[in-house]
Amino acid sequence: MSDRIHFLSMVNRAELPDLLHDATIFLSASTTEVHPISVIEAIASGLPLVAVQDEAFEGMIVENENGHLTPLDVGVFSDTLVKLLSDPEKLARYGKRSTELSEKFSIEGQVSALENLYFEAILQNWRGSFVSRISARLKFKNL
């Protein structure tokens, strides 16, 4: 395996896109992620993924679509990896799906999500104030 698995340690950020594009699969055994930029970069590079279950990966790793989330168990993790690596068709399909999922993490996707969040907040505030205004008018007429 030493000729096929490379632990690179720290790499120059400028080299990262080329390294990711040369990879076959992205693995993460981390159990404490907040906003895993490395996973977003792997998805944008069209890589299938295998990772330990973590809420931080929600929406990034979709089970049986672009990868697998496993329990914190070395046996399950390694079995999942071996099964995926032995299925070139699935690797290709998962990689393609990762590329599709990466769109929501693009600048355009993030701006759109933020616009929707603000729009929803404005509507909720307007609805709340509208109900309050109607309620106040009804109370005034009932007096």
Side-chain angles (χ1 to χ4, degrees):
M1 293 296 248
S2 64
D3 63 325
R4 296 178 62 198
I5 298 174
H6 305 282
F7 293 96
L8 303 177
S9 69
M10 190 63 136
V11 296
N12 182 330
R13 294 268 321 144
E15 297 172 14
L16 190 58
D18 289 334
L19 289 170
L20 288 170
H21 283 288
D22 288 344
T24 304
I25 194 166
F26 184 86
L27 306 174
S28 177
S30 176
T31 58
T32 56
E33 292 290 341
V34 177
H35 188 68
I37 298 297
S38 61
V39 173
I40 294 171
E41 291 169 335
I43 292 168
S45 297
L47 291 174
L49 301 100
V50 175
V52 173
Q53 290 172 335
D54 187 323
E55 288 179 347
F57 300 135
E58 203 170 291
M60 295 177 190
I61 302 174
V62 182
E63 190 65 31
N64 292 314
E65 286 191 27
N66 72 325
H68 298 285
L69 294 169
T70 71
L72 184 57
D73 179 307
V74 173
V76 175
F77 189 89
S78 60
D79 287 347
T80 302
L81 173 60
V82 168
K83 284 178 188 171
L84 186 53
L85 285 173
S86 66
D87 190 340
E89 186 179 295
K90 190 178 276 190
L91 279 170
R93 190 172 70 247
Y94 282 14
K96 182 175 186 248
R97 184 66 177 130
S98 279
T99 302
E100 294 166 359
L101 289 169
S102 75
E103 290 300 315
K104 69 179 172 182
F105 300 106
S106 69
I107 291 173
E108 295 81 7
Q110 291 295 295
V111 167
S112 178
L114 191 56
E115 285 176 340
N116 288 338
L117 182 67
Y118 280 128
F119 186 68
E120 189 173 309
I122 289 166
L123 281 177
Q124 285 177 351
N125 183 51
W126 181 81
R127 285 183 195 131
S129 64
F130 179 74
V131 169
S132 296
R133 288 191 312 267
I134 294 296
S135 179
R137 287 185 182 164
L138 291 174
K139 286 179 186 174
F140 179 73
K141 288 181 180 181
N142 289 335
L143 291 178

